[in-house]
Amino acid sequence: MTEVAAVDEQTDDGHFARLVGLQRRWLARRGLSGRPWLILGAAPGPTIPSPLPAGIAHVHVKYSGHSARRNGLPPADLTLLLHKTTARDVAGLTIRNVLRMRRRPSRLARLGRRVGIAGFREAVITHAERDLLIERTLGSLFASGGRDVRPSNGVAMICYAIAMGIPTIVVAGISLEADGYDYDPTIRNRRHQAEDRAALRRIAAVAPQVVTSEPALAEMTGIPLWKPVAERQP
């Protein structure tokens, strides 16, 4: 059954609160709230944190499940996918819970807005709702004047986790330097660099629960470098 947690594409406080409420209830039903998250992007050569915190949820951005498999990680507990995602894009991956990004909600999602259904396997978030989450979490979309007017989907997923109240968010496979994708190094498409840099620096300033296992990302943005619990100060 498809989840229908989405709200009207408006930016007032009531709609934002409803979006967060519906998504939090959906995550709770799927056993994904109240746990640390590892958010994995698809930048080449990700630094996988080890050992991982107990009970961590594996969250994959788009097709980074291929990277996870290459690096010995389990299938995702939650995967951010696009409306245009094809079966070929995720071939060979175990897809469990899906946060689906669409330009506009489906008919079923519209029904869910009215009745407040928490849903089952798939949650819906529109492009406008993604922007709303970024703006409400960080205060800006960080448009740099180029062709991209918002940060990448990896940053959007971090903002989603912050808004959902995830207690610890470990970021891996997100880079401001590396070109291409871990699952397909032939693709050369470095977008959102200026927007991501500004957004990640803002995340470092306002969200201490966000850490990263990527040393270069920590150095460039100020996001704290993740350390195993045993290495942390009491």
Side-chain angles (χ1 to χ4, degrees):
M1 182 173 178
T2 299
E3 157 64 14
V4 291
V7 297
D8 289 337
E9 298 181 10
Q10 299 180 32
T11 58
D12 60 86
D13 291 340
H15 285 107
F16 178 69
R18 182 165 171 76
L19 168 64
V20 171
L22 286 171
Q23 295 288 336
R24 284 186 175 185
R25 287 194 292 275
W26 180 75
L27 291 172
R29 180 172 291 189
R30 308 309 295 164
L32 294 171
S33 59
R35 301 167 57 184
W37 281 15
L38 171 64
I39 296 181
L40 180 66
T47 303
I48 306 300
S50 179
L52 289 166
I56 199 164
H58 292 261
V59 178
H60 296 167
V61 179
K62 292 175 60 178
Y63 318 132
S64 62
H66 297 291
S67 178
R69 188 171 60 178
R70 284 164 52 95
N71 286 277
L73 292 175
D77 297 290
L78 175 64
T79 305
L80 173 67
L81 293 177
L82 309 180
H83 178 59
K84 65 181 180 180
T85 295
T86 67
R88 181 177 180 181
D89 293 326
V90 295
L93 300 182
T94 299
I95 303 296
R96 295 168 177 162
N97 305 300
V98 173
L99 179 63
R100 181 81 62 177
M101 191 180 302
R102 304 171 61 101
R103 291 194 178 277
R104 57 186 60 85
S106 65
R107 184 176 303 173
L108 186 58
R110 291 182 184 276
L111 173 63
R113 299 174 183 187
R114 294 195 293 271
V115 301
I117 297 173
F120 297 101
R121 181 179 177 272
E122 184 171 303
V124 174
I125 188 168
T126 67
H127 290 196
E129 290 164 354
R130 170 203 54 198
D131 291 354
L132 178 57
L133 282 166
I134 295 171
E135 289 179 320
R136 290 301 178 91
T137 302
L138 304 181
S140 172
L141 282 180
F142 306 99
S144 64
R147 62 174 179 163
D148 294 305
V149 296
R150 63 184 56 82
S152 66
N153 288 323
V155 170
M157 200 64 194
I158 298 171
C159 292
Y160 177 87
I162 294 170
M164 297 304 118
I166 301 305
T168 302
I169 303 161
V170 185
V171 176
I174 291 180
S175 174
L176 296 174
E177 301 174 300
D179 201 5
Y181 297 87
D182 191 67
Y183 58 84
D184 189 348
T186 65
I187 300 175
R188 302 295 178 185
N189 186 15
R190 293 299 299 142
R191 298 174 56 190
H192 310 282
Q193 283 180 299
E195 296 83 1
D196 278 4
R197 183 179 294 106
L200 289 163
R201 287 174 176 170
R202 180 63 177 165
I203 287 170
V206 302
Q209 68 271 42
V210 179
V211 296
T212 182
S213 57
E214 304 289 353
L217 190 66
E219 182 177 356
M220 295 181 70
T221 64
I223 294 176
L225 191 61
W226 177 86
K227 294 181 180 179
V229 173
E231 296 182 15
R232 299 174 191 171
Q233 294 297 321

